[in-house]
PDB file of all heavy atoms in Angstrom:
ATOM      1  N   ILE A 257     100.427 111.287  97.125  1.00 98.00           N
ATOM      2  CA  ILE A 257      99.089 110.788  97.410  1.00 98.00           C
ATOM      3  C   ILE A 257      98.947 109.506  96.530  1.00 98.00           C
ATOM      4  O   ILE A 257      99.111 109.620  95.282  1.00 98.00           O
ATOM      5  CB  ILE A 257      97.952 111.783  97.084  1.00 98.00           C
ATOM      6  CG1 ILE A 257      98.229 113.066  97.909  1.00 98.00           C
ATOM      7  CG2 ILE A 257      96.663 111.199  97.356  1.00 98.00           C
ATOM      8  CD1 ILE A 257      97.211 114.109  97.715  1.00 98.00           C
ATOM      9  N   THR A 258      98.665 108.303  97.052  1.00 98.00           N
ATOM     10  CA  THR A 258      98.685 107.147  96.380  1.00 98.00           C
ATOM     11  C   THR A 258      97.415 106.350  96.402  1.00 98.00           C
ATOM     12  O   THR A 258      96.642 106.481  97.354  1.00 98.00           O
ATOM     13  CB  THR A 258      99.884 106.232  96.964  1.00 98.00           C
ATOM     14  OG1 THR A 258      99.745 106.189  98.432  1.00 98.00           O
ATOM     15  CG2 THR A 258     101.193 106.868  96.601  1.00 98.00           C
ATOM     16  N   TRP A 260      95.033 102.568  95.956  1.00 98.00           N
ATOM     17  CA  TRP A 260      94.919 101.189  96.719  1.00 98.00           C
ATOM     18  C   TRP A 260      95.256 100.029  95.802  1.00 98.00           C
ATOM     19  O   TRP A 260      95.449  99.004  96.284  1.00 98.00           O
ATOM     20  CB  TRP A 260      93.575 101.112  97.226  1.00 98.00           C
ATOM     21  CG  TRP A 260      92.482 101.334  96.199  1.00 98.00           C
ATOM     22  CD1 TRP A 260      91.809 102.524  96.030  1.00 98.00           C
ATOM     23  CD2 TRP A 260      92.039 100.491  95.063  1.00 98.00           C
ATOM     24  NE1 TRP A 260      91.006 102.389  94.799  1.00 98.00           N
ATOM     25  CE2 TRP A 260      91.104 101.122  94.338  1.00 98.00           C
ATOM     26  CE3 TRP A 260      92.394  99.149  94.890  1.00 98.00           C
ATOM     27  CZ2 TRP A 260      90.483 100.628  93.235  1.00 98.00           C
ATOM     28  CZ3 TRP A 260      91.737  98.527  93.725  1.00 98.00           C
ATOM     29  CH2 TRP A 260      90.840  99.307  92.973  1.00 98.00           C
ATOM     30  N   LYS A 284     100.384 110.454 101.779  1.00 98.00           N
ATOM     31  CA  LYS A 284      99.013 110.028 102.108  1.00 98.00           C
ATOM     32  C   LYS A 284      98.575 108.830 101.327  1.00 98.00           C
ATOM     33  O   LYS A 284      98.323 108.891 100.171  1.00 98.00           O
ATOM     34  CB  LYS A 284      97.939 111.166 101.942  1.00 98.00           C
ATOM     35  CG  LYS A 284      96.655 110.824 102.623  1.00 98.00           C
ATOM     36  CD  LYS A 284      95.377 111.440 101.925  1.00 98.00           C
ATOM     37  CE  LYS A 284      94.867 110.525 100.921  1.00 98.00           C
ATOM     38  NZ  LYS A 284      94.270 109.250 101.382  1.00 98.00           N
ATOM     39  N   ALA A 286      96.222 105.505 100.306  1.00 98.00           N
ATOM     40  CA  ALA A 286      94.752 105.274 100.114  1.00 98.00           C
ATOM     41  C   ALA A 286      94.103 104.794 101.372  1.00 98.00           C
ATOM     42  O   ALA A 286      94.771 104.077 102.103  1.00 98.00           O
ATOM     43  CB  ALA A 286      94.567 104.369  98.934  1.00 98.00           C
ATOM     44  N   GLU A 287      92.867 105.212 101.582  1.00 98.00           N
ATOM     45  CA  GLU A 287      92.280 104.867 102.916  1.00 98.00           C
ATOM     46  C   GLU A 287      91.955 103.318 102.881  1.00 98.00           C
ATOM     47  O   GLU A 287      91.942 102.851 104.071  1.00 98.00           O
ATOM     48  CB  GLU A 287      90.847 105.714 102.935  1.00 98.00           C
ATOM     49  CG  GLU A 287      89.970 105.546 101.772  1.00 98.00           C
ATOM     50  CD  GLU A 287      90.239 106.569 100.654  1.00 98.00           C
ATOM     51  OE1 GLU A 287      91.194 107.253 100.783  1.00 98.00           O
ATOM     52  OE2 GLU A 287      89.553 106.427  99.567  1.00 98.00           O
ATOM     53  N   ARG A 317      88.212 108.283 103.727  1.00 98.00           N
ATOM     54  CA  ARG A 317      87.790 108.881 102.519  1.00 98.00           C
ATOM     55  C   ARG A 317      87.440 110.390 102.838  1.00 98.00           C
ATOM     56  O   ARG A 317      87.721 111.273 101.945  1.00 98.00           O
ATOM     57  CB  ARG A 317      86.657 108.043 101.962  1.00 98.00           C
ATOM     58  CG  ARG A 317      86.173 108.580 100.545  1.00 98.00           C
ATOM     59  CD  ARG A 317      86.913 107.812  99.513  1.00 98.00           C
ATOM     60  NE  ARG A 317      86.840 108.506  98.263  1.00 98.00           N
ATOM     61  CZ  ARG A 317      87.616 108.249  97.205  1.00 98.00           C
ATOM     62  NH1 ARG A 317      88.690 107.381  97.306  1.00 98.00           N
ATOM     63  NH2 ARG A 317      87.463 108.868  96.070  1.00 98.00           N
ATOM     64  N   ALA A 320      90.349 112.890 102.931  1.00 98.00           N
ATOM     65  CA  ALA A 320      91.215 112.993 101.784  1.00 98.00           C
ATOM     66  C   ALA A 320      91.318 114.423 101.244  1.00 98.00           C
ATOM     67  O   ALA A 320      92.441 114.946 100.991  1.00 98.00           O
ATOM     68  CB  ALA A 320      90.829 112.017 100.673  1.00 98.00           C
ATOM     69  N   ALA A 321      90.166 115.116 101.120  1.00 98.00           N
ATOM     70  CA  ALA A 321      90.193 116.376 100.571  1.00 98.00           C
ATOM     71  C   ALA A 321      90.980 117.384 101.463  1.00 98.00           C
ATOM     72  O   ALA A 321      91.688 118.246 100.867  1.00 98.00           O
ATOM     73  CB  ALA A 321      88.727 116.872 100.323  1.00 98.00           C
ATOM     74  N   GLY A 324      94.533 116.576 101.257  1.00 98.00           N
ATOM     75  CA  GLY A 324      95.075 117.045  99.903  1.00 98.00           C
ATOM     76  C   GLY A 324      95.218 118.554  99.827  1.00 98.00           C
ATOM     77  O   GLY A 324      96.213 119.054  99.404  1.00 98.00           O
ATOM     78  N   PHE A 338     100.959 112.408  92.440  1.00 98.00           N
ATOM     79  CA  PHE A 338      99.659 111.805  92.591  1.00 98.00           C
ATOM     80  C   PHE A 338      99.451 110.689  91.664  1.00 98.00           C
ATOM     81  O   PHE A 338      99.681 110.676  90.435  1.00 98.00           O
ATOM     82  CB  PHE A 338      98.489 112.796  92.536  1.00 98.00           C
ATOM     83  CG  PHE A 338      97.121 112.253  92.497  1.00 98.00           C
ATOM     84  CD1 PHE A 338      96.529 111.871  93.685  1.00 98.00           C
ATOM     85  CD2 PHE A 338      96.458 112.020  91.379  1.00 98.00           C
ATOM     86  CE1 PHE A 338      95.294 111.349  93.764  1.00 98.00           C
ATOM     87  CE2 PHE A 338      95.168 111.456  91.375  1.00 98.00           C
ATOM     88  CZ  PHE A 338      94.546 111.110  92.579  1.00 98.00           C
ATOM     89  N   GLY A 340      96.112 108.266  90.866  1.00 98.00           N
ATOM     90  CA  GLY A 340      94.654 107.998  91.105  1.00 98.00           C
ATOM     91  C   GLY A 340      93.769 108.362  90.005  1.00 98.00           C
ATOM     92  O   GLY A 340      94.169 108.380  88.833  1.00 98.00           O
ATOM     93  N   SER A 341      92.514 108.795  90.300  1.00 97.00           N
ATOM     94  CA  SER A 341      91.583 109.019  89.320  1.00 97.00           C
ATOM     95  C   SER A 341      91.768 110.283  88.652  1.00 97.00           C
ATOM     96  O   SER A 341      92.384 111.280  89.226  1.00 97.00           O
ATOM     97  CB  SER A 341      90.090 109.014  89.902  1.00 97.00           C
ATOM     98  OG  SER A 341      90.050 109.962  90.878  1.00 97.00           O
ATOM     99  N   VAL A 344      90.165 113.361  90.578  1.00 98.00           N
ATOM    100  CA  VAL A 344      90.822 113.832  91.732  1.00 98.00           C
ATOM    101  C   VAL A 344      92.181 114.585  91.341  1.00 98.00           C
ATOM    102  O   VAL A 344      92.582 115.589  91.874  1.00 98.00           O
ATOM    103  CB  VAL A 344      91.070 112.656  92.805  1.00 98.00           C
ATOM    104  CG1 VAL A 344      92.014 113.255  93.862  1.00 98.00           C
ATOM    105  CG2 VAL A 344      89.812 112.217  93.371  1.00 98.00           C
ATOM    106  N   HIS A 347      91.523 117.975  90.207  1.00 98.00           N
ATOM    107  CA  HIS A 347      91.171 118.777  91.396  1.00 98.00           C
ATOM    108  C   HIS A 347      92.479 119.207  92.109  1.00 98.00           C
ATOM    109  O   HIS A 347      92.607 120.384  92.562  1.00 98.00           O
ATOM    110  CB  HIS A 347      90.207 118.001  92.428  1.00 98.00           C
ATOM    111  CG  HIS A 347      89.860 118.619  93.622  1.00 98.00           C
ATOM    112  ND1 HIS A 347      88.961 119.576  93.658  1.00 98.00           N
ATOM    113  CD2 HIS A 347      90.327 118.397  94.863  1.00 98.00           C
ATOM    114  CE1 HIS A 347      88.859 120.013  94.974  1.00 98.00           C
ATOM    115  NE2 HIS A 347      89.648 119.213  95.613  1.00 98.00           N
ATOM    116  N   LEU A 348      93.410 118.181  92.278  1.00 98.00           N
ATOM    117  CA  LEU A 348      94.622 118.631  92.945  1.00 98.00           C
ATOM    118  C   LEU A 348      95.351 119.580  92.142  1.00 98.00           C
ATOM    119  O   LEU A 348      96.083 120.503  92.734  1.00 98.00           O
ATOM    120  CB  LEU A 348      95.435 117.304  93.212  1.00 98.00           C
ATOM    121  CG  LEU A 348      94.894 116.390  94.313  1.00 98.00           C
ATOM    122  CD1 LEU A 348      95.680 115.024  94.189  1.00 98.00           C
ATOM    123  CD2 LEU A 348      95.013 116.924  95.632  1.00 98.00           C
TER     124      LEU A 348
HETATM  125  P1  ADP B 610      89.782 105.673  93.478  1.00 70.88           P
HETATM  126  O1  ADP B 610      88.440 106.153  93.024  1.00 70.88           O
HETATM  127  O2  ADP B 610      90.385 104.539  92.694  1.00 70.88           O
HETATM  128  O3  ADP B 610      89.937 105.401  94.996  1.00 70.88           O
HETATM  129  P2  ADP B 610      90.953 108.278  93.901  1.00 70.88           P
HETATM  130  O4  ADP B 610      91.566 109.146  92.940  1.00 70.88           O
HETATM  131  O5  ADP B 610      89.711 108.578  94.467  1.00 70.88           O
HETATM  132  O6  ADP B 610      90.884 106.899  93.072  1.00 70.88           O
HETATM  133  O7  ADP B 610      91.951 107.920  95.086  1.00 70.88           O
HETATM  134  C1  ADP B 610      93.359 107.983  94.965  1.00 70.88           C
HETATM  135  C2  ADP B 610      93.959 108.678  96.122  1.00 70.88           C
HETATM  136  O8  ADP B 610      93.506 109.966  96.143  1.00 70.88           O
HETATM  137  C3  ADP B 610      93.638 108.067  97.490  1.00 70.88           C
HETATM  138  O9  ADP B 610      94.720 108.162  98.321  1.00 70.88           O
HETATM  139  C4  ADP B 610      92.455 108.910  97.920  1.00 70.88           C
HETATM  140  O10 ADP B 610      92.339 108.940  99.304  1.00 70.88           O
HETATM  141  C5  ADP B 610      92.948 110.264  97.444  1.00 70.88           C
HETATM  142  N1  ADP B 610      91.903 111.228  97.207  1.00 70.88           N
HETATM  143  C6  ADP B 610      90.559 111.054  97.058  1.00 70.88           C
HETATM  144  N2  ADP B 610      89.952 112.255  96.941  1.00 70.88           N
HETATM  145  C7  ADP B 610      90.852 113.251  97.132  1.00 70.88           C
HETATM  146  C8  ADP B 610      90.855 114.705  97.272  1.00 70.88           C
HETATM  147  N3  ADP B 610      89.745 115.364  97.022  1.00 70.88           N
HETATM  148  N4  ADP B 610      91.958 115.286  97.631  1.00 70.88           N
HETATM  149  C9  ADP B 610      93.082 114.652  97.683  1.00 70.88           C
HETATM  150  N5  ADP B 610      93.224 113.286  97.642  1.00 70.88           N
HETATM  151  C10 ADP B 610      92.038 112.584  97.380  1.00 70.88           C
END
Side-chain angles (χ1 to χ4, degrees):
I257 301 179
T258 51
W260 49 264
K284 192 208 89 63
E287 55 279 359
R317 185 89 197 163
F338 172 77
S341 60
V344 173
H347 177 75
L348 287 169

